[in-house]
Amino acid sequence: MTQIDFHSNVPDKIAYACRLVRKARAADCRIVLLTKNRSHLVTLDEALWTFSELDFLPHVTAGNPIAAQTPIVLADNDTVAL
């Protein structure tokens, strides 16, 4: 079953998102992260690569040819088909 959760009022949104993604991946979930704009997407992309030395969080941006096979997809608009 699809589950949608909303998290708000967190002081460091990027670090919180990275921790939440790590938790969702540990549960073998597929994740789509939708950002407000391109600069947020770039910041989140960099943070996921450097978030933890022990955790690998494989991700690509929406529209990437391997997005359908990648467990974490980053998007800056909601019109992208996966």
Side-chain angles (χ1 to χ4, degrees), residues 14 35-46 76:
I14 297 295
T35 64
K36 291 182 180 182
N37 59 50
R38 189 75 178 158
S39 67
H40 289 148
L41 184 120
V42 170
T43 301
L44 186 56
D45 178 42
E46 292 172 0
D76 60 358

Side-chain angles (χ1 to χ4, degrees), residues 6-78:
F6 294 91
H7 299 256
S8 58
N9 298 321
V10 294
D12 185 346
K13 292 174 178 50
I14 297 295
Y16 187 84
C18 289
R19 288 192 304 274
L20 194 59
V21 166
R22 177 176 57 187
K23 183 178 179 180
R25 281 301 304 143
D28 202 31
C29 295
R30 182 152 203 269
I31 301 122
V32 176
L33 294 167
L34 178 63
T35 64
K36 291 182 180 182
N37 59 50
R38 189 75 178 158
S39 67
H40 289 148
L41 184 120
V42 170
T43 301
L44 186 56
D45 178 42
E46 292 172 0
L48 286 169
W49 287 123
T50 60
F51 168 65
S52 170
E53 293 181 11
L54 302 175
D55 300 296
F56 176 60
L57 301 173
H59 64 281
V60 296
T61 55
N64 186 297
I66 63 167
Q69 293 84 30
T70 306
I72 304 165
V73 177
L74 309 179
D76 60 358
N77 67 68
D78 60 359

